Amino acid sequence: MPAKEMLYDCEKVRFAYPDGTPALTEVSFRIWRGDRVAILGVNGSGKSTLLRLLDGLMEPTAGVIRFMGTPLTERSLQNPSFGRLFRQRVGFVFQDADAQLFNPTVWDEVAFAPRQMGLPEGEVRTRVADTLYLLGIAHLAERAPFRLSGGEKRKVAIACVLSMNPDVLLLDEPIAGLDPRMQSWLVNTLRLLHEAGKTLLIATHNLHLLPEVADRVLILSEEHTLLADRTLQEAMEDTQLLVSAGLLHEHLHAHGDAVHSHLHGHEHHH
Ligand SMILES: Nc1ncnc2c1ncn2[C@@H]1O[C@H](COP(=O)(O)OP(=O)(O)OP(=O)(O)O)[C@@H](O)[C@H]1O
Ligand SMILES: [Mg+2]
């Protein structure tokens, strides 16, 4: 088998926001073509920050992120050939759809990236129509994205990325806010994309859907370090690891007179 192509190489990546808030500390890992990786960690551990860095929206404060060998910097992204290649290959679904949607209509929103890529208008129209149909949102085409419901906005954000047909999909909590039917549609779509050779990086809190969407996990600690880079199976069998990452927690229950403790995933309601 030929060696897999390395897409991302993150070396000792550190990031602090301009106000001084630390968000990532000495994070190193690599991503190969076709990988399916979940990024896990409690609220505020740095998942969204990491995805923004991998999308080149911000630069590390220290350390380096290379994409196919080229450091991701404001400068390299301004280079017409690298910038264009990177933008065509990498698509990002934001956690907050409001921060992503800015066009006057849903149609224009989904057409935006294919137009930026310079596709002929006929091809753009076909792609947009197909994607809206796939997501069951063709009826929203003329609506203003900012006036949609939360779940509708998320579908539009997903449509925007699918219409680009990127090789690498960065997805920040893509399942949150979708109804059960859309959740299973999305999980299935992600599986098909993986089978088609796409690379997927997904930040999620949804532990019970993990086996459907990831083979490997990166776990960020509350201190913003990389606690683990393991196969999904290895990580899920390590209760100690999951507890220390805050992904499982001990909870006291009263059953009649008896009180005992259980381990819980965060997706459960108490
Ligand atoms: N624009 C910002 N300015 C300052 N600090 C920020 C900003 N965005 C995030 N942070 C801080 O950076 C840290 C990491 O935030 P990040 O959004 O990456 O976490 P997360 O793992 O995605 O959390 P969640 O599960 O809630 O989405 C947090 O302490 C957060 O408060
Ligand atoms: Mg986040």
Side-chain angles (χ1 to χ4, degrees):
M1 234 170 61
K4 274 217 242 173
E5 184 185 5
M6 194 195 299
L7 292 183
Y8 281 105
D9 181 9
C10 299
E11 208 182 301
K12 296 191 175 164
V13 172
R14 187 177 278 276
F15 185 83
Y17 282 95
D19 66 359
T21 309
L24 287 174
T25 308
E26 297 267 325
V27 171
S28 301
F29 62 90
R30 289 167 171 181
I31 302 290
W32 285 267
R33 180 180 301 282
D35 280 359
R36 223 167 38 143
V37 180
I39 302 171
L40 308 179
V42 294
N43 294 136
S45 56
K47 303 177 297 296
S48 297
T49 303
L50 181 57
L51 289 176
R52 283 183 209 127
L53 291 168
L54 294 174
D55 194 46
L57 298 175
M58 315 184 297
E59 262 185 58
T61 313
V64 59
I65 300 180
R66 292 188 194 83
F67 182 78
M68 299 179 74
T70 303
L72 271 188
T73 61
E74 215 179 305
R75 230 184 119 173
S76 69
L77 287 168
Q78 274 165 6
N79 172 301
S81 65
F82 179 72
R84 203 178 162 81
L85 166 119
F86 183 77
R87 289 289 159 227
Q88 288 192 3
R89 295 198 126 183
V90 179
F92 184 18
V93 176
F94 288 36
Q95 182 169 15
D96 171 15
D98 282 314
Q100 175 163 11
L101 306 175
F102 57 93
N103 280 280
T105 68
V106 167
W107 180 279
D108 289 322
E109 196 71 66
V110 179
F112 185 81
R115 279 179 182 146
Q116 284 288 105
M117 285 159 62
L119 293 178
E121 193 55 31
E123 166 74 15
V124 171
R125 238 174 282 139
T126 314
R127 274 203 196 187
V128 175
D130 287 353
T131 314
L132 293 180
Y133 175 76
L134 263 176
L135 278 141
I137 52 174
H139 62 291
L140 301 177
E142 297 311 319
R143 298 273 304 276
F146 69 90
R147 290 214 187 93
L148 299 175
S149 78
E152 288 169 342
K153 282 180 189 168
R154 183 157 296 276
K155 291 183 200 177
V156 174
I158 292 167
C160 289
V161 167
L162 294 182
S163 71
M164 292 169 61
N165 191 25
D167 292 332
V168 180
L169 287 97
L170 308 174
L171 304 150
D172 200 346
E173 302 282 357
I175 294 156
L178 294 178
D179 63 48
R181 190 181 53 179
M182 270 319 289
Q183 286 189 12
S184 61
W185 179 87
L186 182 61
V187 165
N188 196 42
T189 300
L190 295 177
R191 189 180 15 240
L192 294 173
L193 289 167
H194 170 64
E195 283 167 14
K198 307 288 187 190
T199 305
L200 306 175
L201 279 108
I202 307 172
T204 182
H205 287 119
N206 199 323
L207 293 186
H208 74 266
L209 282 177
L210 272 188
E212 319 249 15
V213 297
D215 310 302
R216 182 176 147 208
V217 293
L218 298 175
I219 304 181
L220 294 171
S221 71
E222 255 172 300
E223 294 74 36
H224 320 291
T225 59
L226 187 59
L227 207 57
D229 176 354
R230 304 207 188 155
T231 67
L232 176 65
Q233 198 184 342
E234 281 168 354
M236 290 304 123
E237 283 167 359
D238 191 341
T239 308
Q240 215 38 56
L241 170 69
L242 297 176
V243 170
S244 63
L247 299 169
L248 285 178
H249 61 120
E250 256 187 305
H251 204 80
L252 286 175
H253 284 265
H255 294 285
D257 295 334
V259 175
H260 62 233
S261 67
H262 284 303
L263 286 169
H264 282 275
H266 272 172
E267 73 270 26
H268 297 297
H269 291 288
H270 310 303

